[in-house]
Amino acid sequence: MEIVVSGIRPTGNLHLGNYFGAMQNFVKMQETNQCFFFIADYHSLTTHPTPADLHGNVKQVLVEYLACGLDPEKATLYLQSDLPETAELYLFLNMNAYTGELERCTSFKDKVRSQPDNVNAGLLTYPTLMAADIILHKAHKVPVGKDQEQHLEMTRTFANRFNRMYKVDYFPEPVAYNFGEQLIKIPGLDGSTKMGKSEGEGNAIFLFDTPEVIRKKVMRAVTDSGPTEPNQPKPQAIENLFNLMKALSAPETVQFFDEQYNQCAIRYGDLKKQLAEDVIKFTTPFRERILDLLGNDEYLHKVVTLGREKAHASASKTIKEVREIIGFKHF
Ligand code: TYM
């Protein structure tokens, strides 16, 4: 049975990018693999949340994991910070990660540009923490969106380097995985190519958004004055709306608006109205389950306790073996 590991940072509610890029694969993978899905709360410290925000966000994402259909009996659902073994492996990996390669990582360079006042060491070593999460359970497959591709490449580098350095064949080479084969990138509503939590107001649609908020966000999505000649390629912002439609509307709907576009007859207002209603139809069942679960602290406690036990069994075995490989031996 293959081992699957993945996580999501608790920095807000899950959006459609998280769902289509990662979560929908988590839900499918739990049926036939040994899965470890965690909430990356250590990772979220790079943005310095207050204790109250951190806890609230962790609870929200836990509830959303369950609302999306993750089953704590089938998969291991746990909090990253419940496994201090993660931090220990992170320390070991940091000893063999070079500042040059960490500085060249695209996500680090983006952060240096976007938040020059908070370029902390946690950001620089983000890929080693992520590698620790993954190889702690000796994962083979990691369901993620396209933005995580480079992090997976670095994970393979660190795992191979450990094997070479200690002349062992211990860690497998994990690969980024998507059921549809190609890794996905869901676009934002603001014309940018990525839906994201930190990309600004109105860019992302969250599973927990109310129908009113969804209508407002979609109606405000960036468009242009429309095509002036038939069968022209679509500008980015328009392509984005079509891509969102492809993810969650019926194929006939996409085909209808595509034809309208190609004939220069498209009315973006109609497209957006349809898209908003399709999004609402898609997200409403999630929203209802989220609301149900938010009040059920007793159940959440059970889920986290079970997850911690199962995750600990796997992690403590790896750490024990890694310590021996490195040469930490009992006297
Ligand atoms: P995070 O929290 O930014 O995103 C969680 C998952 O959602 C995917 N995703 C998207 N997919 C498609 N289109 C989008 N617009 C989009 N936005 C986000 C991400 O690719 C990701 O799969 N570093 C990770 C969390 C993490 C992790 C790990 C993942 C920590 N350790 C170990 C896998 C394995 C992150 O920040 O994801």
Side-chain angles (χ1 to χ4, degrees), residues 6-7 9 17-18 43 126 130 133 144-145 147-148 184 186 195:
S6 198
R9 270 175 309 141
N18 298 136
H43 275 283
Y126 192 102
M130 189 160 155
D133 294 325
V144 283
D147 59 312
Q148 299 297 320
I184 287 180
I186 295 289
M195 183 173 285

Side-chain angles (χ1 to χ4, degrees), residues 5-11 14-23 26 38 40 43 80 126 129-134 142-149 151-152 155 183-188 193-197 203:
V5 174
S6 198
I8 297 183
R9 270 175 309 141
T11 50
L14 298 194
H15 53 66
L16 293 177
N18 298 136
Y19 184 82
F20 289 110
M23 184 54 77
F26 294 7
F38 61 95
H43 275 283
Q80 187 186 31
Y126 192 102
L129 181 53
M130 189 160 155
D133 294 325
I134 295 168
V142 187
V144 283
K146 193 156 178 52
D147 59 312
Q148 299 297 320
E149 213 167 20
H151 289 154
L152 259 295
T155 300
L183 298 184
I184 287 180
K185 181 154 93 171
I186 295 289
T193 57
K194 190 185 158 195
M195 183 173 285
K197 291 173 253 220
N203 162 289

Side-chain angles (χ1 to χ4, degrees), residues 264-306:
C264 301
I266 191 145
R267 287 158 47 154
Y268 290 133
D270 292 349
L271 178 145
K272 287 175 171 181
K273 265 187 211 146
Q274 179 69 47
L275 179 59
E277 293 319 305
D278 289 344
V279 171
I280 291 166
K281 199 163 131 204
F282 180 79
T283 55
T284 297
F286 292 106
R287 188 176 147 69
E288 285 169 358
R289 285 198 292 272
I290 293 168
L291 283 168
D292 253 11
L293 284 157
L294 275 172
N296 202 340
D297 282 344
E298 203 179 314
Y299 177 60
L300 299 183
H301 174 76
K302 265 194 206 147
V303 169
V304 169
T305 309
L306 175 67

